[in-house]
Structures are given as structure tokens and as C-alpha cells.
Amino acid sequence: MDMKARAPTDRTRVRRVPERGDYERATLDAIVDAAHLCHLAFADERGVHCIPMACWREGDHLYLHGSNGSRLIRQAASGAQVCVTITHLDGLVLARSAFHHSMNYRCAVIYGVCERVADEDKAAALDAFMETIARGRSREVRPGNAKELAATTVLRLPLDEFACKTRAGGPKDDEDDLDLPVWAGVLPLELAPRSAVPDGAYEQTPEYIAKWR
């Protein structure tokens, strides 16, 4: 795994506020691994679409899955170019002027062509997906049967062409506005786990569920 920064391509180079751009593989992995959801954009004869879907990372690939009948899955599996975006919103930045209000965030954009995961490797890939939801889950649930696996397409997108962009910290006010009698600062936001809600009665709660929160 190459963790070095990659030179940006023409379509990954961050041009708006370029100092926030980051092409380090470690930054990308951290953003992807903190996510359960991505948005995949693709184009077909009906136009351009952007669809939310579950995602997970193994090594140098972002993994996606869906029904064989899904228009998105069929298009992504056809060799078409796709673009995947993952964003974490960390706070609302309130400045002393309306113009300088902003947001703190971590974002990754990944370009490329998806590869179809071979049938014999789908079960292992989906087990890895279960583990990203809750570590230990794949050893407890019923695995996909032959019919379910046959109805599912698993795709992977190489993490070769990407850009990350982040913002952190407080407002960047104009010097002339610093003395205005206006509250300024950051309203932090966080996606946090809450207590698990069981479906039915169980003799014993698995340790990974007990530790979920």
C-alpha cells in the first residue's frame, strides 16, 4: 500500500482554496474508514445521477454492492467512469459577517472505473462489510446463501485518483469586522453512536453490541 502523497490529476487538483487540498493516502483512508455512506455519481442516457449507498474499504479499494438489477450497479460495472464523494460535517462556522460564514469538514472525492469482484470472492468481501458495521458481526449472522450471492454484485474502486479537502478552526473574519458586537465561533457537530435497540428478547447481548456506544 502506497501511503505517499500522489500528484493531483487535472480533475483532482483543488483549485478553490487550494491550501485545503490534501493528496495524502493516509488522509483518504481516515476519511473513508470513518464513513458508512458515500455518494456515487454516474452518467447514462437519461442524464447525470448521484446516488447514496453503503461503502467500505479493504486495502487499496473502496467497495460497493447492490442488486444485479440496479441501474447504478449495471452502469458502474460496465466500465463507465464514476465519481464517489464522502463528506463528514464537523461544525458550522459563524463569522462576524454573513459572507465569511463557513463549515468545518473532511471530504474525499475518488474518480475511476469500478471492477467487478469475482463470484468466488463475493462472500469474503461481504463478510468484511459486516465487520465494518460491527466487529464480530460476520461470525454471528447467517451468511448469504447461493441465491442471495447470485443476486448481488460487488464492485471495487481503486483508490488511485483522489483528492481530499478539509477545513478546521474558527472564522476568518476581515480585520475591519473584528470589533463588531457579533458572536462568532464554531457550532460543533458530531455523528455519535447511541444505545443499541434490540429487536426481540435475547439471552445474552453480544460483547460487540454492549460496547457499541
Side-chain angles (χ1 to χ4, degrees), residues 5-61:
R6 294 176 181 268
T9 65
D10 185 60
R11 61 181 175 179
T12 63
R13 185 181 301 279
V14 176
R15 293 175 169 82
R16 177 77 177 97
V17 196
E19 61 271 20
R20 295 182 188 170
D22 190 327
Y23 309 98
E24 296 281 350
R25 177 58 193 278
T27 303
L28 174 70
D29 286 356
I31 292 172
V32 172
D33 291 347
H36 293 287
L37 184 71
C38 69
H39 285 78
L40 186 147
F42 66 100
D44 64 11
E45 67 280 0
R46 299 180 183 178
V48 180
H49 315 275
C50 184
I51 307 295
M53 60 190 311
C55 65
W56 69 101
R57 182 182 68 87
E58 288 186 75
D60 295 329
H61 293 86

Side-chain angles (χ1 to χ4, degrees), residues 3 5 15 18 28 30 39 42 62 72 98 101 128 132 134 159 167 170 181 199 209:
M3 300 298 289
R15 293 175 169 82
L28 174 70
H39 285 78
F42 66 100
L62 179 78
L72 178 155
H101 279 59
T132 67
L159 299 175
R167 187 198 190 280
D199 179 27
I209 295 297

Side-chain angles (χ1 to χ4, degrees), residues 24-184:
E24 296 281 350
R25 177 58 193 278
T27 303
L28 174 70
D29 286 356
I31 292 172
V32 172
D33 291 347
H36 293 287
L37 184 71
C38 69
H39 285 78
L40 186 147
F42 66 100
D44 64 11
E45 67 280 0
R46 299 180 183 178
V48 180
H49 315 275
C50 184
I51 307 295
M53 60 190 311
C55 65
W56 69 101
R57 182 182 68 87
E58 288 186 75
D60 295 329
H61 293 86
L62 179 78
Y63 281 74
L64 314 160
H65 80 295
S67 166
N68 295 344
S70 162
R71 175 179 56 168
L72 178 155
I73 291 295
R74 292 200 309 268
Q75 185 71 7
S78 72
Q81 286 282 335
V82 301
C83 176
V84 170
T85 300
I86 295 172
T87 302
H88 302 286
L89 180 60
D90 298 321
L92 305 177
V93 181
L94 279 59
R96 293 166 179 82
S97 68
F99 182 81
H100 285 300
H101 279 59
S102 188
M103 296 182 183
N104 287 338
Y105 60 88
R106 293 159 288 140
C107 177
V109 178
I110 307 162
Y111 295 92
V113 175
C114 291
E115 307 166 353
R116 188 188 294 266
V117 173
D119 289 345
E120 60 269 22
D121 297 326
K122 284 197 290 187
L126 293 171
D127 280 349
F129 175 42
M130 288 290 100
E131 290 298 298
T132 67
I133 295 174
R135 190 174 297 278
R137 189 67 176 166
S138 66
R139 297 189 296 273
E140 186 171 280
V141 299
R142 175 183 68 78
N145 58 36
K147 182 179 179 180
E148 291 167 340
L149 290 173
T152 303
T153 298
V154 180
L155 301 174
R156 64 181 196 173
L157 180 64
L159 299 175
D160 292 333
E161 189 179 3
F162 65 86
C164 302
K165 192 175 183 182
T166 63
R167 187 198 190 280
K172 308 296 183 183
D173 274 305
D174 293 335
E175 187 172 352
D176 291 345
D177 292 333
L178 292 178
D179 292 330
L180 291 175
V182 178
W183 190 94

